[in-house]
Each structure stands twice: as C-alpha cells, then as structure tokens.
Amino acid sequence: MNRTIISVKNLVKNYGDFQAVKGISFDVQEGEIFGLLGPNGAGKSTTLEIIETLREKTSGEVIVDAFNLDKQPNEIKKIIGVQLQSSGYYPGLNLVELMQLFAGLYNKNIDPMTLLDSVNLRDKAKNKYKELSGGQKQRFSIATTLINTPKIIFLDEPTTGLDPQARRNLWDLIIEIRNRGTTVIITTHYMDEAEVLCDRVAIIDSGKIISLASPDQLIDDLLASGFERTKQVKLANLEDVFINLTGKHLREE
Ligand code: ADP
Ligand code: MG
C-alpha cells in the first residue's frame, strides 16, 4: 500500500492577529491511523476542521484523495466521515431515528440496525441520545461517521472524559474500523492512547509540528539521545492495576 491519501502543505490559519496554525505540512497514508498529538490550544481541531472543509484556511495546500480542497470541497465531503459536536443531536430522538435523519442529510439509504450493531449499540436502538452513557455517546457518534461508507474518518478527542473500560472499548472499535480499510485521523492528548492506536503521530505545539514518526521511532530516538528515566519503570502501571481489579467489561450499559 503506502498511498498518500491526505497531503497538507504549509497550512496556515490566522484568527485575526493570532496565528493558530503556523505553516504545517504532513502526509497521511491510506489505511493508517494517524495521530495529531498536542496540548490544549495546539491547533489540532483547527487543522482537522480545515481538512474536513468545515473551516476556512488562511493559506497552504490541502489534497484529500487527489481532490484539491480549494477546487473540489464537495468531492472531499463525499468520501470523509466527520463526528458532529454532540450538541448537534436532537436529544429527544432515539438512535434509529437519528441515524435515519443523518442518512437523509447524506442522501444515503442505510440500515440503522447494521450500523448500530457495528458499534455495539443494537440494544440501545430505541433509547434516546440523552439516555446514553459517555462511552455509548462516543460510539454512536462514531457510527454516524460511517453512514456514507467513507474512505477517511476524523475523530477529535473521541475518548476524552471516558473511564478506562470505555476508553479501551473505543480503541478496539477504532482498530476494527481501520482493519476494514478506513483511514483514521485522530487527535488526543493521551500518550498511552496514541501509543496503542497510532501507526504514526505528529506532535503539534503552538501551531507547529515539532516531530513526526511512529511512536516506536520517537521513543527510540529519545533513548538514542541519551535520555534516561529518573525512576526505574515497573512493568505495569496503575491503569493496569485498575483494569486488573475491576475487569475489562463495560460498566455503563
Ligand atoms: P486544539 O484543538 O489543539 O486544542 P484549537 O485548534 O481548538 O486547538 O485552537 C488553537 C488555537 O486557536 C487556540 O489558541 C484557540 O484559542 C484558538 N482558536 C480556535 N478557534 C478560534 C476562533 N474561532 N477564533 C479565535 N481563536 C480561535
Ligand atoms: Mg481541539
């Protein structure tokens, strides 16, 4: 494989006098899980929303699956899946009704139950969105990105605020979606998550990419520079203890 599906060159975004994205460049390969890592305010969401055609860029070039963002934004929209802000969901509709509503927006015929099944929400089909737990809401919102059978999906901090069980469950789902052939771009500020999920990561800080490689490569580079941890690391961490004590099964349903 190794075909470039997204190419970003010298992307700049100014909000008035403030430059939020300062000329970043990166490529995403077809079929990979690509992570944009960075602290709050780094410019991750701005970058994603520009590629998703939802925000105007100031300058730079963005190509998605050979379509130029400036000339063919509608072609790009057809092949991507984007998570809506949760405020966009009518709280009083049930999951099947919401799925049908979104399918209508995409002008697609879908079987809501198949999609709900694919994110393990068949049992909640008749429940209203507002009745879902945090993890279920995230799974539902990922299902909505799959309605138009996209080539690429964009996930902006999909696990923020979830408990360890729900987080791991979502990781499995994201890996499953990628294994079915979909390219995934994800933002996160959880490094353990990036290490588990991402084939490659770009570390972005104050609007600049300061490093880009596989997690393994970045760690090896750091060690090669002479870095040593001040405290000897044990072969398990507190999250392992927690999962071991409380189990991996979801608690929310
Ligand atoms: P991240 O997703 O990495 O947390 P964002 O892309 O949301 O970062 O924001 C990057 C910077 O741009 C932040 O300093 C943020 O305050 C600023 N910013 C984001 N959106 C706007 C906006 N609509 N108007 C002005 N500044 C904004
Ligand atoms: Mg953000």
Side-chain angles (χ1 to χ4, degrees), residues 161-218:
L162 300 184
D163 69 38
Q165 280 89 359
R167 220 154 69 94
R168 285 169 187 230
N169 175 263
L170 218 63
W171 295 350
D172 290 343
L173 174 62
I174 292 166
I175 289 170
E176 219 179 282
I177 290 170
R178 189 279 298 277
N179 289 350
R180 282 185 243 137
T182 311
T183 305
V184 179
I185 302 197
I186 181 171
T187 73
T188 181
H189 42 237
Y190 299 122
M191 296 308 127
D192 58 337
E193 176 165 307
E195 214 176 320
V196 170
L197 283 181
C198 297
D199 298 299
R200 291 188 309 138
V201 299
I203 299 180
I204 174 167
D205 194 15
S206 305
K208 286 190 188 137
I209 290 180
I210 51 179
S211 205
L212 195 167
S214 68
D216 236 21
Q217 186 64 54
L218 290 175

Side-chain angles (χ1 to χ4, degrees), residues 15 18 20 39-46 55:
Y15 293 113
F18 175 70
N40 284 330
K44 304 180 297 293
S45 297
T46 299
R55 216 179 264 252

Side-chain angles (χ1 to χ4, degrees), residues 27-237:
D27 289 341
V28 177
Q29 304 300 313
E30 187 167 38
E32 76 176 339
I33 301 180
F34 185 88
L36 276 181
L37 314 186
N40 284 330
K44 304 180 297 293
S45 297
T46 299
T47 302
L48 279 203
E49 286 168 16
I50 289 169
I51 303 171
E52 292 165 351
T53 77
L54 300 177
R55 216 179 264 252
E56 294 275 321
K57 62 182 162 61
T58 302
S59 62
E61 186 187 73
V62 177
I63 310 280
V64 181
D65 200 29
F67 298 116
N68 188 311
L69 177 70
D70 293 328
K71 296 175 191 140
Q72 297 148 295
N74 290 327
E75 297 303 319
I76 294 178
K77 278 181 200 156
K78 284 183 203 158
I79 57 149
I80 65 172
V82 173
Q83 272 187 303
L84 296 180
Q85 303 296 315
S86 57
S87 57
Y89 297 124
Y90 294 93
L93 295 185
N94 73 37
L95 301 192
V96 170
E97 292 164 338
L98 280 171
M99 275 293 176
Q100 281 160 343
L101 180 72
F102 289 127
L105 297 178
Y106 281 112
N107 210 2
K108 288 272 170 192
N109 257 325
I110 53 139
D111 173 20
M113 289 314 282
T114 307
L115 270 174
L116 291 175
D117 234 0
S118 74
V119 296
N120 232 335
L121 282 176
R122 173 174 281 269
D123 296 348
K124 298 286 170 185
K126 290 281 149 55
N127 283 82
K128 297 181 164 113
Y129 179 76
K130 65 180 176 198
E131 294 164 351
L132 302 181
S133 70
Q136 290 166 342
K137 282 182 173 147
Q138 279 300 339
R139 293 213 300 279
F140 178 73
S141 124
I142 288 178
T144 68
T145 72
L146 302 173
I147 287 173
N148 59 335
T149 50
K151 289 187 180 177
I152 309 164
I153 62 169
F154 294 84
L155 305 175
D156 197 353
E157 291 190 24
T159 66
T160 296
L162 300 184
D163 69 38
Q165 280 89 359
R167 220 154 69 94
R168 285 169 187 230
N169 175 263
L170 218 63
W171 295 350
D172 290 343
L173 174 62
I174 292 166
I175 289 170
E176 219 179 282
I177 290 170
R178 189 279 298 277
N179 289 350
R180 282 185 243 137
T182 311
T183 305
V184 179
I185 302 197
I186 181 171
T187 73
T188 181
H189 42 237
Y190 299 122
M191 296 308 127
D192 58 337
E193 176 165 307
E195 214 176 320
V196 170
L197 283 181
C198 297
D199 298 299
R200 291 188 309 138
V201 299
I203 299 180
I204 174 167
D205 194 15
S206 305
K208 286 190 188 137
I209 290 180
I210 51 179
S211 205
L212 195 167
S214 68
D216 236 21
Q217 186 64 54
L218 290 175
I219 293 166
D220 285 349
D221 290 350
L222 178 67
L223 292 173
S225 76
F227 175 89
E228 272 179 48
R229 276 191 169 163
T230 46
K231 183 178 158 199
Q232 186 53 47
V233 181
K234 297 175 184 166
L235 293 173
N237 62 22

